[in-house]
Amino acid sequence: MTTTPLLRATVTATALAVLLAGCGSDGDDQPVAGPAPLSSSAPEPSPTTPAPTSQPSTPSATGSEPAVPLACGNADLDVSAGPVSETDTTRQATVTFTNISPNACALVSFPGADLVTAAGGLLVHVARRPANSAPHLELQPREAARADVQASAVDTTTGQPCGRTGTLVVTAPNTTESHLLPVNLPICEATISAVG
């Protein structure tokens, strides 16, 4: 006997429906109201507990907002930098990442940073400053996170003034677009913090 795919699918769906219907009752369930019996000697007693008037709210699996925001993308962030501050031989600039999208998004870990020549040639890759852990920040629309870039005005190997400066280029965490910022820092001992 040969069967068609439609017949097999129909038989399978029917068997599945029967199995699921049998699995739903464990004997402790309250009776479900159904049509009245044809003959009855006594009326059915009414339940002693009233039925709930509203259902508890539960998160929807198909809700419009995810439980955890997606990573911020290139178009979600405005990247800017403040002026360079000087403390002894340390030079520092704060980089700000502002969520300009209408949705929350997440930044995780360190931004990328380089110091480049006026022509855009790489002078030095800015090292990540040691941290206990990489933060996971959720930015609401218009919220900002910051990281700082520090460099030394003195070459620690020679004790002489650092010979070169470079223009700061930053890439936000989780993104690929580099931002040339109007910040010039010495290339000696340059480090960047995680976002915070």
Side-chain angles (χ1 to χ4, degrees):
M1 172 178 184
T2 60
T3 58
T4 65
L6 179 59
L7 180 61
R8 281 192 298 257
T10 303
V11 170
T12 303
T14 303
L16 183 60
V18 169
L19 287 173
L20 288 175
C23 293
S25 175
D26 62 4
D28 293 330
D29 295 338
Q30 294 291 328
V32 176
L38 294 177
S39 64
S40 174
S41 58
E44 289 286 323
S46 64
T48 57
T49 57
T53 57
S54 67
Q55 295 193 356
S57 63
T58 57
S60 171
T62 60
S64 62
E65 192 164 334
V68 177
L70 298 175
C72 297
N74 292 327
D76 297 329
L77 297 171
D78 177 60
V79 180
S80 60
V84 176
S85 64
E86 299 181 11
T87 305
D88 297 323
T89 61
T90 301
R91 306 296 180 260
Q92 181 177 20
T94 300
V95 180
T96 304
F97 305 93
T98 304
N99 179 0
I100 58 172
S101 78
N103 303 310
C105 65
L107 285 178
V108 180
S109 193
F110 289 83
D114 295 310
L115 291 171
V116 299
T117 65
L122 179 64
L123 289 170
V124 65
H125 175 70
V126 177
R128 294 176 173 181
R129 198 168 310 132
N132 291 335
S133 65
H136 177 100
L137 301 177
E138 294 181 6
L139 298 181
Q140 297 300 317
R142 306 306 309 161
E143 270 190 323
R146 289 167 184 74
D148 69 82
V149 180
Q150 292 182 354
S152 176
V154 174
D155 183 338
T156 57
T157 58
T158 66
Q160 300 297 315
C162 189
R164 297 194 71 178
T165 60
T167 303
L168 183 61
V169 175
V170 173
T171 305
N174 319 321
T175 67
T176 57
E177 184 178 336
S178 296
H179 301 270
L180 181 66
L181 301 174
V183 172
N184 291 315
L185 290 168
I187 66 168
C188 299
E189 306 295 321
T191 62
I192 190 165
S193 70
V195 291

